[in-house]
Amino acid sequence: MDPAVLISGLKKRYGSLEAVKDVSLSLQPGEIFGLLGPNGAGKTTTIRCLCTLAIPDAGRIEVNGISVLENPRLARQYLGYIAQEVALDKVLTGRELLQLQADLYHMPAKVARDRIPQMIELLELGDWADQKTGTYSGGLRKRLDLALGLLHQPDVLVLDEPTVGLDIETRSAVWQFLRDLKAAGTTILITSHYLEEVDALADRVAIIDRGVVIASGTPNALKDQIGGDRITLRIREFTPDDEAEQAKTLLQALPCVQEVIVNEAQGNSLNLVVEAQADALMTVQHALKGGNLPTFGIAQSRPSLDDVYLAATGRTLLDAEIAAAGSRDLKAERKQAMKGS
């Protein structure tokens, strides 16, 4: 089966910043594909290139076999893009915005007359369609944004952080809506910070870090590659380096322990991959006690997508987000200092 979306050798630079170093992805028709990674990893740049909103420096991008770079106008007919930030004209009503979207896509008047009510019904916007969008709640704005992106019935729907900032009930409704779209044959590409969202929805996943794909596959296959269960423990609330290394050496010698990672960003907590056996937790605790090391906190769980990211990079997605936020704050401070000098 030919892929619905093909991205090969994608590269994109903004001045001195190499936003995307080398990204290759292939999406099959009718699947939900999750793109994970911290802010600054290259997710949004990748989808902007796919959606003809940015021109890559190198690489190949196709939608339904059509080159996005050589024939962007035709490719757009098969693409629906819903950005992270909902940008709606607050003066217009939901129905008026849908009509405007239909005009921008040069939809025949009869088609638009039929399809706009369909979108309003599908997204359950009937009670608010003729109210100005400036009065809409966050959940209503997201639903209208979905309606706008789906109005021309794209084969491929691209969503950048589709549920960020939404309450649990609205997020659940969006999840079900995306499952229904998939069942109808729509190919969906999602970027998300919510690991449980991608785990619950995606048929396949790719994790991007610093502009490169570091892992890809089905969520279960990626988690199975880690092997065994995950034990997370803290010797102390903030463990000294020497005690963390002592514990690592001690625990690596246990037959049930497959791997030990010291997470410096989280106060030298230790992340263990262990054989899935009932007494693994007790064995680890007994070993620490025998080495005269305390246990501040300990928990055992099945592997998650965050464990996949941790295994590939040595840090969790949350750690990466915090580091990225710190870097942005530092750059802002330096820029402000230069203005003041």
Side-chain angles (χ1 to χ4, degrees):
M1 185 181 296
D2 294 331
V5 174
L6 177 65
I7 300 174
S8 179
L10 181 66
K11 302 179 189 295
K12 178 64 179 177
R13 179 185 292 273
Y14 295 100
S16 60
L17 174 64
E18 196 173 15
V20 176
K21 297 178 183 178
D22 184 11
V23 168
S24 296
L25 303 170
S26 178
L27 280 64
Q28 297 305 310
E31 77 169 337
I32 298 180
F33 193 99
L35 203 55
L36 283 173
N39 283 327
K43 305 187 306 297
T44 297
T45 297
T46 297
I47 64 175
R48 283 180 60 82
C49 289
L50 167 63
C51 295
T52 76
L53 298 174
I55 300 174
D57 300 322
R60 173 185 170 203
I61 308 176
E62 294 181 358
V63 177
N64 287 349
I66 299 165
S67 172
V68 168
L69 305 180
E70 297 174 6
N71 203 338
R73 292 189 65 179
L74 181 58
R76 289 188 199 112
Q77 296 180 22
Y78 299 96
L79 284 164
Y81 174 52
I82 299 172
Q84 178 177 346
E85 297 295 331
V86 179
L88 304 176
D89 190 323
K90 297 180 180 180
V91 176
L92 298 179
T93 68
R95 194 183 303 274
E96 288 169 341
L97 275 172
L98 286 165
Q99 182 61 57
L100 175 61
Q101 185 83 341
D103 293 341
L104 291 172
Y105 272 94
H106 305 289
M107 292 173 59
K110 184 179 184 308
V111 174
R113 281 197 303 270
D114 292 340
R115 202 169 291 169
I116 288 174
Q118 290 174 5
M119 289 295 102
I120 290 173
E121 181 180 358
L122 183 65
L123 274 300
E124 299 180 356
L125 290 166
D127 292 339
W128 300 276
D130 296 305
Q131 296 184 22
K132 293 182 179 181
T133 61
T135 65
Y136 283 19
S137 67
L140 284 173
R141 288 166 63 84
K142 179 60 70 174
R143 275 195 262 166
L144 178 58
D145 210 27
L146 283 166
L148 292 166
L150 290 167
L151 184 64
H152 63 296
Q153 295 184 339
D155 291 344
V156 177
L157 180 63
V158 181
L159 303 104
D160 193 4
E161 303 289 347
T163 62
V164 67
L166 298 183
D167 58 72
I168 295 175
E169 184 178 354
T170 305
R171 282 180 66 194
S172 179
V174 171
W175 284 16
Q176 186 55 52
F177 180 69
L178 294 179
R179 291 189 182 104
D180 293 341
L181 284 178
K182 173 196 167 182
T186 304
T187 303
I188 302 173
L189 174 61
I190 298 176
T191 73
S192 180
H193 287 75
Y194 299 125
L195 295 172
E196 75 280 7
E197 179 167 74
V198 174
D199 208 351
L201 292 174
D203 300 294
R204 291 188 300 133
V205 175
I207 300 177
I208 294 183
D209 187 59
R210 298 186 176 100
V212 177
V213 175
I214 60 173
S216 62
T218 67
N220 285 337
L222 289 173
K223 289 182 284 188
D224 288 344
Q225 287 176 8
I226 298 177
D229 286 357
R230 175 72 63 180
I231 289 180
T232 303
L233 69 92
R234 290 176 180 271
I235 304 302
R236 305 182 190 277
E237 185 173 6
F238 299 100
T239 307
D241 292 345
D242 59 338
E243 285 193 346
E245 286 303 317
Q246 179 187 349
K248 180 178 180 180
T249 301
L250 181 68
L251 296 174
Q252 280 178 331
L254 298 177
C256 67
V257 175
Q258 301 170 0
E259 184 180 7
V260 181
I261 298 173
V262 177
N263 192 332
E264 296 178 3
Q266 295 186 0
N268 279 339
S269 67
L270 285 91
N271 296 269
L272 285 65
V273 177
V274 300
E275 294 179 3
Q277 58 188 56
D279 61 348
L281 195 67
M282 187 180 301
T283 300
V284 168
Q285 290 177 300
H286 183 73
L288 291 173
K289 185 176 180 180
N292 293 318
L293 291 170
T295 303
F296 180 78
I298 188 168
Q300 183 174 355
S301 62
R302 294 292 299 154
S304 68
L305 287 177
D306 205 25
D307 294 324
V308 175
Y309 189 86
L310 176 66
T313 67
R315 56 180 181 165
T316 67
L317 271 170
L318 177 60
D319 296 335
E321 289 289 353
I322 293 172
S327 177
R328 289 194 299 272
D329 291 343
L330 181 58
K331 288 179 181 178
E333 289 176 6
R334 287 176 177 172
K335 187 175 182 180
Q336 189 62 37
M338 290 178 66
K339 286 183 178 179
S341 60

mmCIF file of all heavy atoms in Angstrom, residues 4 7 18 21 48 61 80 87 96 116 122 131 181 208 216 245 277 287 303-304 307 315-316 319 334:
data_model
loop_
_atom_site.group_PDB
_atom_site.id
_atom_site.type_symbol
_atom_site.label_atom_id
_atom_site.label_comp_id
_atom_site.label_asym_id
_atom_site.label_seq_id
_atom_site.Cartn_x
_atom_site.Cartn_y
_atom_site.Cartn_z
ATOM 1 N N ALA A 4 0.175 7.356 2.735
ATOM 2 C CA ALA A 4 -0.610 8.584 2.623
ATOM 3 C C ALA A 4 0.297 9.797 2.753
ATOM 4 O O ALA A 4 0.067 10.833 2.117
ATOM 5 C CB ALA A 4 -1.696 8.610 3.692
ATOM 6 N N ILE A 7 7.690 11.412 4.224
ATOM 7 C CA ILE A 7 8.696 12.444 4.513
ATOM 8 C C ILE A 7 10.046 11.752 4.555
ATOM 9 O O ILE A 7 10.238 10.803 5.313
ATOM 10 C CB ILE A 7 8.419 13.151 5.853
ATOM 11 C CG1 ILE A 7 7.038 13.822 5.832
ATOM 12 C CG2 ILE A 7 9.502 14.183 6.158
ATOM 13 C CD1 ILE A 7 6.638 14.427 7.170
ATOM 14 N N GLU A 18 19.449 24.836 13.620
ATOM 15 C CA GLU A 18 19.104 23.686 12.805
ATOM 16 C C GLU A 18 17.890 23.013 13.448
ATOM 17 O O GLU A 18 18.019 22.140 14.290
ATOM 18 C CB GLU A 18 20.282 22.724 12.718
ATOM 19 C CG GLU A 18 20.162 21.697 11.612
ATOM 20 C CD GLU A 18 21.419 20.865 11.439
ATOM 21 O OE1 GLU A 18 22.278 20.881 12.358
ATOM 22 O OE2 GLU A 18 21.549 20.211 10.396
ATOM 23 N N LYS A 21 17.129 18.240 11.601
ATOM 24 C CA LYS A 21 18.407 17.770 11.051
ATOM 25 C C LYS A 21 18.223 16.644 10.041
ATOM 26 O O LYS A 21 18.875 16.615 9.005
ATOM 27 C CB LYS A 21 19.314 17.292 12.189
ATOM 28 C CG LYS A 21 19.689 18.386 13.165
ATOM 29 C CD LYS A 21 20.547 17.844 14.299
ATOM 30 C CE LYS A 21 20.867 18.931 15.320
ATOM 31 N NZ LYS A 21 21.655 18.397 16.455
ATOM 32 N N ARG A 48 4.856 21.890 9.665
ATOM 33 C CA ARG A 48 4.709 23.101 8.856
ATOM 34 C C ARG A 48 5.258 22.878 7.451
ATOM 35 O O ARG A 48 4.690 23.375 6.465
ATOM 36 C CB ARG A 48 5.408 24.281 9.530
ATOM 37 C CG ARG A 48 4.620 24.862 10.710
ATOM 38 C CD ARG A 48 5.357 26.033 11.349
ATOM 39 N NE ARG A 48 5.573 27.119 10.407
ATOM 40 C CZ ARG A 48 4.688 28.047 10.090
ATOM 41 N NH1 ARG A 48 3.486 28.021 10.659
ATOM 42 N NH2 ARG A 48 4.965 29.007 9.249
ATOM 43 N N ILE A 61 8.854 15.366 0.421
ATOM 44 C CA ILE A 61 7.576 15.274 1.124
ATOM 45 C C ILE A 61 6.488 15.003 0.095
ATOM 46 O O ILE A 61 6.359 15.735 -0.890
ATOM 47 C CB ILE A 61 7.238 16.563 1.896
ATOM 48 C CG1 ILE A 61 8.394 16.997 2.801
ATOM 49 C CG2 ILE A 61 5.972 16.368 2.724
ATOM 50 C CD1 ILE A 61 8.148 18.316 3.501
ATOM 51 N N GLY A 80 -5.594 18.742 5.795
ATOM 52 C CA GLY A 80 -6.266 19.607 6.747
ATOM 53 C C GLY A 80 -5.297 19.867 7.890
ATOM 54 O O GLY A 80 -4.702 18.928 8.414
ATOM 55 N N ALA A 87 -6.923 30.319 16.191
ATOM 56 C CA ALA A 87 -6.987 31.709 15.734
ATOM 57 C C ALA A 87 -8.301 31.923 14.995
ATOM 58 O O ALA A 87 -8.432 31.571 13.818
ATOM 59 C CB ALA A 87 -5.796 32.026 14.833
ATOM 60 N N GLU A 96 -20.349 31.757 9.878
ATOM 61 C CA GLU A 96 -19.696 32.680 8.948
ATOM 62 C C GLU A 96 -18.241 32.280 8.702
ATOM 63 O O GLU A 96 -17.732 32.386 7.576
ATOM 64 C CB GLU A 96 -19.780 34.109 9.491
ATOM 65 C CG GLU A 96 -21.178 34.699 9.417
ATOM 66 C CD GLU A 96 -21.318 36.003 10.190
ATOM 67 O OE1 GLU A 96 -20.461 36.286 11.075
ATOM 68 O OE2 GLU A 96 -22.271 36.746 9.932
ATOM 69 N N ILE A 116 -21.486 22.617 5.295
ATOM 70 C CA ILE A 116 -21.394 23.438 6.512
ATOM 71 C C ILE A 116 -22.363 22.944 7.585
ATOM 72 O O ILE A 116 -21.958 22.740 8.742
ATOM 73 C CB ILE A 116 -21.612 24.930 6.184
ATOM 74 C CG1 ILE A 116 -20.385 25.481 5.441
ATOM 75 C CG2 ILE A 116 -21.849 25.736 7.467
ATOM 76 C CD1 ILE A 116 -20.543 26.894 4.930
ATOM 77 N N LEU A 122 -21.870 17.485 13.069
ATOM 78 C CA LEU A 122 -20.836 16.520 13.436
ATOM 79 C C LEU A 122 -20.094 16.945 14.690
ATOM 80 O O LEU A 122 -19.800 16.131 15.571
ATOM 81 C CB LEU A 122 -19.854 16.350 12.272
ATOM 82 C CG LEU A 122 -18.738 15.317 12.443
ATOM 83 C CD1 LEU A 122 -19.317 13.913 12.531
ATOM 84 C CD2 LEU A 122 -17.749 15.411 11.297
ATOM 85 N N GLN A 131 -23.624 32.283 16.927
ATOM 86 C CA GLN A 131 -23.101 33.239 17.900
ATOM 87 C C GLN A 131 -21.675 33.612 17.517
ATOM 88 O O GLN A 131 -20.948 32.827 16.907
ATOM 89 C CB GLN A 131 -23.108 32.623 19.302
ATOM 90 C CG GLN A 131 -24.497 32.311 19.830
ATOM 91 C CD GLN A 131 -24.453 31.782 21.258
ATOM 92 O OE1 GLN A 131 -23.491 32.010 21.984
ATOM 93 N NE2 GLN A 131 -25.498 31.068 21.655
ATOM 94 N N LEU A 181 -13.007 9.468 13.009
ATOM 95 C CA LEU A 181 -12.420 9.885 11.732
ATOM 96 C C LEU A 181 -11.521 8.791 11.162
ATOM 97 O O LEU A 181 -11.558 8.496 9.962
ATOM 98 C CB LEU A 181 -11.599 11.165 11.921
ATOM 99 C CG LEU A 181 -12.355 12.474 12.060
ATOM 100 C CD1 LEU A 181 -11.372 13.614 12.288
ATOM 101 C CD2 LEU A 181 -13.206 12.758 10.835
ATOM 102 N N ILE A 208 10.900 12.471 18.337
ATOM 103 C CA ILE A 208 11.908 13.380 17.789
ATOM 104 C C ILE A 208 12.635 14.063 18.933
ATOM 105 O O ILE A 208 12.021 14.511 19.901
ATOM 106 C CB ILE A 208 11.257 14.442 16.877
ATOM 107 C CG1 ILE A 208 10.665 13.792 15.631
ATOM 108 C CG2 ILE A 208 12.268 15.492 16.457
ATOM 109 C CD1 ILE A 208 10.077 14.782 14.645
ATOM 110 N N SER A 216 10.943 4.820 16.620
ATOM 111 C CA SER A 216 9.665 4.776 15.914
ATOM 112 C C SER A 216 9.123 3.346 15.939
ATOM 113 O O SER A 216 9.887 2.383 16.022
ATOM 114 C CB SER A 216 9.797 5.261 14.473
ATOM 115 O OG SER A 216 10.664 4.428 13.736
ATOM 116 N N GLU A 245 25.802 6.711 42.581
ATOM 117 C CA GLU A 245 26.707 5.784 41.892
ATOM 118 C C GLU A 245 26.859 4.487 42.681
ATOM 119 O O GLU A 245 26.954 3.403 42.101
ATOM 120 C CB GLU A 245 28.067 6.442 41.680
ATOM 121 C CG GLU A 245 28.065 7.495 40.591
ATOM 122 C CD GLU A 245 27.601 6.939 39.246
ATOM 123 O OE1 GLU A 245 28.033 5.820 38.883
ATOM 124 O OE2 GLU A 245 26.795 7.600 38.567
ATOM 125 N N GLN A 277 8.802 -9.760 37.446
ATOM 126 C CA GLN A 277 8.570 -10.809 38.438
ATOM 127 C C GLN A 277 8.052 -10.182 39.718
ATOM 128 O O GLN A 277 8.322 -9.011 40.025
ATOM 129 C CB GLN A 277 9.861 -11.585 38.712
ATOM 130 C CG GLN A 277 11.027 -10.727 39.195
ATOM 131 C CD GLN A 277 12.322 -11.506 39.253
ATOM 132 O OE1 GLN A 277 12.748 -12.084 38.267
ATOM 133 N NE2 GLN A 277 12.949 -11.513 40.429
ATOM 134 N N ALA A 287 18.410 -5.230 48.648
ATOM 135 C CA ALA A 287 19.790 -4.932 48.258
ATOM 136 C C ALA A 287 20.220 -3.564 48.781
ATOM 137 O O ALA A 287 21.347 -3.393 49.260
ATOM 138 C CB ALA A 287 19.923 -4.988 46.742
ATOM 139 N N PRO A 303 6.362 -0.463 31.489
ATOM 140 C CA PRO A 303 7.022 0.598 30.712
ATOM 141 C C PRO A 303 6.008 1.529 30.055
ATOM 142 O O PRO A 303 4.908 1.119 29.688
ATOM 143 C CB PRO A 303 7.808 -0.185 29.653
ATOM 144 C CG PRO A 303 7.981 -1.546 30.209
ATOM 145 C CD PRO A 303 6.759 -1.807 31.033
ATOM 146 N N SER A 304 6.396 2.795 29.922
ATOM 147 C CA SER A 304 5.573 3.799 29.261
ATOM 148 C C SER A 304 6.368 4.409 28.113
ATOM 149 O O SER A 304 7.568 4.140 27.947
ATOM 150 C CB SER A 304 5.177 4.896 30.255
ATOM 151 O OG SER A 304 6.335 5.639 30.630
ATOM 152 N N ASP A 307 9.320 6.137 29.319
ATOM 153 C CA ASP A 307 10.457 5.250 29.552
ATOM 154 C C ASP A 307 11.232 5.010 28.255
ATOM 155 O O ASP A 307 12.454 4.877 28.266
ATOM 156 C CB ASP A 307 9.982 3.913 30.122
ATOM 157 C CG ASP A 307 9.374 4.051 31.495
ATOM 158 O OD1 ASP A 307 9.860 4.890 32.273
ATOM 159 O OD2 ASP A 307 8.403 3.337 31.794
ATOM 160 N N ARG A 315 16.957 11.115 29.652
ATOM 161 C CA ARG A 315 16.128 12.091 30.359
ATOM 162 C C ARG A 315 14.679 11.851 29.965
ATOM 163 O O ARG A 315 14.395 11.284 28.916
ATOM 164 C CB ARG A 315 16.531 13.528 30.004
ATOM 165 C CG ARG A 315 16.498 13.821 28.508
ATOM 166 C CD ARG A 315 16.897 15.236 28.189
ATOM 167 N NE ARG A 315 16.830 15.482 26.751
ATOM 168 C CZ ARG A 315 16.846 16.681 26.199
ATOM 169 N NH1 ARG A 315 16.943 17.762 26.962
ATOM 170 N NH2 ARG A 315 16.780 16.821 24.891
ATOM 171 N N THR A 316 13.755 12.265 30.818
ATOM 172 C CA THR A 316 12.341 12.116 30.495
ATOM 173 C C THR A 316 11.898 13.285 29.631
ATOM 174 O O THR A 316 12.589 14.305 29.510
ATOM 175 C CB THR A 316 11.490 12.079 31.770
ATOM 176 O OG1 THR A 316 11.560 13.371 32.415
ATOM 177 C CG2 THR A 316 11.972 11.006 32.724
ATOM 178 N N ASP A 319 11.762 16.350 31.742
ATOM 179 C CA ASP A 319 13.085 16.941 31.921
ATOM 180 C C ASP A 319 13.466 17.789 30.706
ATOM 181 O O ASP A 319 14.015 18.893 30.835
ATOM 182 C CB ASP A 319 14.150 15.848 32.102
ATOM 183 C CG ASP A 319 13.930 15.028 33.368
ATOM 184 O OD1 ASP A 319 13.308 15.556 34.301
ATOM 185 O OD2 ASP A 319 14.387 13.879 33.409
ATOM 186 N N ARG A 334 19.227 37.350 28.334
ATOM 187 C CA ARG A 334 20.398 37.891 27.645
ATOM 188 C C ARG A 334 20.004 38.976 26.648
ATOM 189 O O ARG A 334 20.668 39.999 26.519
ATOM 190 C CB ARG A 334 21.140 36.761 26.925
ATOM 191 C CG ARG A 334 21.899 35.821 27.867
ATOM 192 C CD ARG A 334 22.526 34.670 27.085
ATOM 193 N NE ARG A 334 23.306 33.812 27.957
ATOM 194 C CZ ARG A 334 23.830 32.665 27.570
ATOM 195 N NH1 ARG A 334 23.651 32.225 26.334
ATOM 196 N NH2 ARG A 334 24.548 31.926 28.419
#
